[in-house]
Amino acid sequence: MKRTIGTAALGLGLLVMTAAAQDMMRDVDLSSPDMISAEMTRGEVEAALTMATVAAPADFSGKRMSGLDLSGLNLSSAIFRAARLNKTNLAGARLDRAVLDQAWLLEADLTGASLKGANLFASQMARARLDGADLSGARIAADLTGASLVGASIAEANLGADMRNQSMGLMRAVLKSANLERLNARSADLSRVDLEFASLKGADLTGASLKNAQLGGADLTGVTVIDTDFDGADLASAKLIAPIGLDRAKNFDKAKNRDRLIKQ
């Protein structure tokens, strides 16, 4: 039986996650008021932003903000740790250097938003829309299953697992079945990232690391892979059709299941 999780319990649950529980939705009632309602208005958010300073940025930690229209706001450096932003409209918003660790952004609209240098650790972003968004230089260890990042940028972003600290398990980005067409992933760390069944058609992976990444069933048609590191990447049933620069990729001979690639 699903249970409604209050703010305190939710925050505690997020902090004690293990590798098997990166999907935190298992015991959460996503239809509860805690997950679909807002305790603030756009006007109150704007008021909080006017009071913020460089030393004391706006802090919305744990706030219920689901469904709000926050489009176009400058939320740079704001703190949204464990906040609920499900189905929130953040299109065109500026979230540069914002802290979105452990935040809920299920089906949120971040189309064209700027999240340069933002922190998205253990964030829940399934089916979020980030088409044209700029996440360059961001730290992204979020669940983006089924999300759309068409034409977005994760250049120089870190989506990989931190193998030095595994107290919370294997925390890294999950992009299963995500639409990543024309994604700019130049020099991004995608090591151990889950990209199973994702569409990366026309993506630019120049200089990116795909070490030990899971690419089973992914569509890599027309990707640019100059200096891309494939060491240990699992390519089972992936489509690698008309790639650009494959002869200049790194460690492609060390990728797993190359014999099961769909090539042309």
Side-chain angles (χ1 to χ4, degrees):
M1 180 177 180
K2 289 183 177 180
R3 57 187 175 88
T4 300
I5 297 182
T7 301
L10 178 62
L12 178 61
L14 294 169
L15 292 173
V16 298
M17 278 188 308
T18 63
Q22 185 169 17
D23 178 0
M24 301 183 297
M25 296 184 285
R26 181 166 43 193
D27 297 317
V28 178
D29 183 356
L30 298 177
S31 64
S32 71
D34 196 48
M35 301 301 288
I36 64 174
S37 65
E39 60 185 291
M40 302 181 73
T41 65
R42 179 185 174 103
E44 289 172 332
V45 172
E46 291 176 318
L49 293 172
T50 62
M51 299 292 291
T53 64
V54 174
D59 192 340
F60 303 103
S61 295
K63 294 292 186 182
R64 288 180 284 108
M65 306 173 77
S66 294
L68 284 181
D69 181 1
L70 303 179
S71 58
L73 290 184
N74 185 352
L75 299 159
S76 297
S77 300
I79 302 170
F80 293 93
R81 189 173 288 110
R84 264 55 55 80
L85 293 149
N86 300 318
K87 295 187 177 181
T88 297
N89 183 0
L90 289 156
R94 287 187 59 189
L95 290 148
D96 299 336
R97 302 173 305 284
V99 178
L100 290 148
D101 296 347
Q102 303 152 358
W104 293 79
L105 294 120
L106 305 177
E107 299 182 29
D109 187 354
L110 291 134
T111 304
S114 180
L115 296 102
K116 292 182 287 187
N119 284 300
L120 296 143
F121 184 83
S123 308
Q124 294 299 308
M125 303 179 72
R127 301 177 302 283
R129 297 188 298 280
L130 295 112
D131 298 336
D134 188 351
L135 296 101
S136 55
R139 174 59 173 129
I140 309 166
D143 187 344
L144 286 147
T145 300
S148 181
L149 289 90
V150 175
S153 175
I154 57 168
E156 300 183 352
N158 181 2
L159 290 80
D162 184 352
M163 303 308 294
R164 297 169 299 178
N165 182 5
Q166 291 297 294
S167 62
M168 294 180 69
L170 187 63
M171 299 300 299
R172 82 290 196 223
V174 175
L175 289 153
K176 277 186 177 181
S177 303
N179 188 346
L180 308 175
E181 296 180 7
R182 304 191 309 280
L183 178 72
N184 175 6
R186 295 175 67 92
S187 301
D189 182 357
L190 297 162
S191 56
R192 298 183 185 272
V193 168
D194 189 342
L195 290 156
E196 290 184 333
F197 302 104
S199 177
L200 289 125
K201 292 180 181 178
D204 187 352
L205 301 172
T206 299
S209 173
L210 290 170
K211 287 185 178 180
N212 299 302
Q214 297 168 269
L215 289 153
D219 191 340
L220 300 165
T221 300
V223 295
T224 300
V225 290
I226 297 170
D227 292 327
T228 304
D229 193 345
F230 282 90
D231 190 3
D234 191 342
L235 299 170
S237 300
K239 294 180 182 178
L240 189 61
I241 300 171
I244 299 170
L246 186 59
D247 58 329
R248 295 173 57 186
K250 296 179 179 178
N251 297 312
F252 188 71
D253 60 323
K254 296 180 181 178
K256 300 175 182 176
N257 293 309
R258 284 184 299 125
D259 58 325
R260 296 174 60 188
L261 267 173
I262 300 172
K263 296 187 289 186
Q264 181 174 311

